[in-house]
Amino acid sequence: MKYLLLRLKRFCGFIAGVVFFIAGIFKLLDPVGAGLVVKEYLDFLHLDFLTGISKPLALIMSFAETLIGTALVTGVWRRITAYAALAFQIFFTVLTLILVIFNPQMDCGCFGEVIHLSHLETFIKNVVLLLLLL
């Protein structure tokens, strides 16, 4: 039974890691687009004074997302990676819940310009990933 739970935990981490990795890579392929999406989020949250760092912030977050995804898939630094992934996912789940409630005219930017999701689809994806990470 313990072996089965360990395998289930590794499978959930692997699936979440693949999603993190793909999302991060897609955003790193288009840093200007990722910066524009972050700028839209900052404008929506009335943090206009931070728009000057939107592109570097997008690159840092995309790189962190890719690194976390890689670590989840390979199983490196399991405890630290699990906490980092959980922190990212809680933040993004709360953010997409706010987007679902207020429904602004903007793209979520989850997978860059490759895959476009509505706010509700993004929220459902984030809840599923959160459950996998828990």
Side-chain angles (χ1 to χ4, degrees):
M1 184 67 178
K2 186 176 180 180
Y3 176 77
L4 187 61
L5 288 176
L6 180 65
R7 287 287 154 207
L8 180 63
K9 188 167 43 169
R10 286 294 302 136
F11 178 74
C12 291
F14 179 81
I15 296 299
V18 168
V19 173
F20 267 71
F21 179 78
I22 290 172
I25 287 293
F26 285 161
K27 286 181 246 180
L28 285 174
L29 289 174
D30 182 20
V32 174
L36 291 173
V37 169
V38 169
K39 182 184 178 310
E40 285 182 350
Y41 275 104
L42 292 173
D43 290 342
F44 171 72
L45 295 171
H46 302 292
L47 298 172
D48 301 332
F49 61 94
L50 293 175
T51 57
I53 63 165
S54 60
K55 187 175 177 184
L57 184 62
L59 287 172
I60 290 168
M61 288 179 59
S62 300
F63 183 72
E65 195 172 9
T66 305
L67 187 64
I68 289 170
T70 304
L72 281 172
V73 168
T74 59
V76 178
W77 307 315
R78 286 191 178 139
R79 188 172 302 260
I80 295 169
T81 304
Y83 287 130
L86 193 59
F88 255 70
Q89 204 54 49
I90 289 170
F91 172 75
F92 286 122
T93 303
V94 169
L95 185 61
T96 54
L97 177 62
I98 293 169
L99 291 176
V100 167
I101 292 170
F102 292 105
N103 199 22
Q105 294 296 337
M106 59 187 278
D107 184 35
C108 76
C110 303
F111 296 102
E113 291 296 314
V114 179
I115 301 171
H116 295 278
L117 299 174
S118 70
H119 298 309
L120 184 59
E121 291 168 340
T122 304
F123 180 69
I124 292 169
K125 173 197 66 93
N126 286 343
V127 168
V128 169
L129 281 175
L130 188 60
L131 291 174
L132 285 174
L133 289 169
L134 288 174

